[in-house]
Amino acid sequence: MRIKAKYSHLNGEEYLLVHNPGLWDEVQSVIRQVDARVCKTKMSYEIRTQNRMFYSPVDMNKAYKTGFEDCGWSERRSTFWVTDREEILRSIYHLPEKEQKIAIEKAGHTPIMSYNQTDFVKDRVAVEVQFGKYAFVAHDLFVKHLSFYVSDIIDVAIEILPMKELEREMSSGVPYYERDLLNVIRQGRGVPAVPLVLIGVVP
């Protein structure tokens, strides 16, 4: 596959070029090594596209997972505790995980364990490959990446999306770069408050 478009938010790409150009090259290399042709395995059963072969999001995700893991990237989870009281959450958010739980219990409430998970993390850079449902992109950008950045786990995030021309050859409900580029831009220059690179790919 290849990169057709990219957008650098809060100097995400510039940060990589200055501080970790080798890792940025590695991300681009993984993208180039994914052969989209072998991922065109999903038969459509929808009336308007019946018996037409589409690119499989599952197969594409597997190909990217193999590529990144072969280069030493791995999944990362950040666990935290929540409750239903705003004042407690505000007071414990920056505490270590175990202290969050203790603080909630001391306040007389029930702690609920939760976590954020990112597909691939290496050298303080996070990558999400999003060929799933379009709603997941907003969760990646405004929850996952931001949480990892605020928690000082990453310095920059990368979101890989299909371009519209690829999305047309996939099942319904898949995100595409052009729409999510607008979603980022219309929030204003500082939102989300994490440096990131939005990447649009095609076969």
Side-chain angles (χ1 to χ4, degrees):
M1 301 188 77
R2 65 182 176 89
I3 296 174
K4 184 170 184 181
K6 63 181 185 294
Y7 172 70
S8 177
H9 176 73
L10 295 180
N11 297 317
E13 183 180 14
E14 291 77 5
Y15 180 92
L16 288 167
L17 288 170
V18 171
H19 296 283
N20 211 329
L23 205 65
W24 180 225
D25 288 342
E26 192 170 274
V27 170
Q28 296 175 82
S29 176
V30 168
I31 292 170
R32 285 193 300 269
Q33 290 174 25
V34 172
D35 186 351
R37 293 170 298 179
V38 301
C39 298
K40 203 166 192 178
T41 58
K42 185 172 183 178
M43 178 69 74
S44 174
Y45 297 104
E46 296 179 18
I47 293 175
R48 63 184 180 85
T49 57
Q50 197 165 12
N51 298 325
R52 184 175 161 191
M53 294 299 291
F54 282 112
Y55 291 103
S56 165
V58 173
D59 289 347
M60 282 188 171
N61 279 327
K62 285 180 181 177
Y64 275 96
K65 182 174 172 28
T66 298
F68 279 110
E69 288 182 347
D70 285 350
C71 293
W73 295 72
S74 60
E75 177 188 289
R76 177 72 184 266
R77 290 192 179 202
S78 176
T79 304
F80 53 92
W81 295 84
V82 297
T83 188
D84 62 347
R85 300 297 295 272
E86 175 192 349
E87 64 273 16
I88 297 174
L89 292 177
R90 288 187 183 278
S91 69
I92 69 169
Y93 179 73
H94 294 289
L95 294 177
E97 174 192 338
K98 291 180 180 178
E99 292 181 28
Q100 292 176 355
K101 184 175 187 287
I102 292 169
I104 293 172
E105 290 173 334
K106 280 185 177 179
H109 294 276
T110 302
I112 302 166
M113 190 181 76
S114 189
Y115 67 90
N116 285 319
Q117 172 268 331
T118 294
D119 288 343
F120 311 106
V121 177
K122 182 179 179 182
D123 296 343
R124 298 181 62 82
V125 177
V127 175
E128 281 286 329
V129 179
Q130 197 50 265
F131 293 109
K133 295 298 182 183
Y134 62 85
F136 295 161
V137 179
H139 186 72
D140 289 349
L141 300 182
F142 296 94
V143 178
K144 285 185 179 183
H145 293 322
L146 187 56
S147 172
F148 275 63
Y149 183 70
V150 170
S151 299
D152 198 30
I153 296 171
I154 65 169
D155 295 314
V156 63
I158 299 169
E159 190 81 7
I160 300 174
L161 300 164
M163 296 292 293
K164 181 63 179 179
E165 63 187 86
L166 173 55
E167 182 265 353
R168 289 192 184 103
E169 299 294 320
M170 302 175 76
S171 52
S172 59
V174 175
Y176 57 90
Y177 173 88
E178 292 89 339
R179 177 170 55 194
D180 287 298
L181 173 61
L182 173 62
N183 288 341
V184 171
I185 290 174
R186 68 182 174 191
Q187 300 299 322
R189 292 180 66 181
V191 181
V194 52
L196 63 91
V197 185
L198 203 66
I199 292 176
V201 298
V202 294

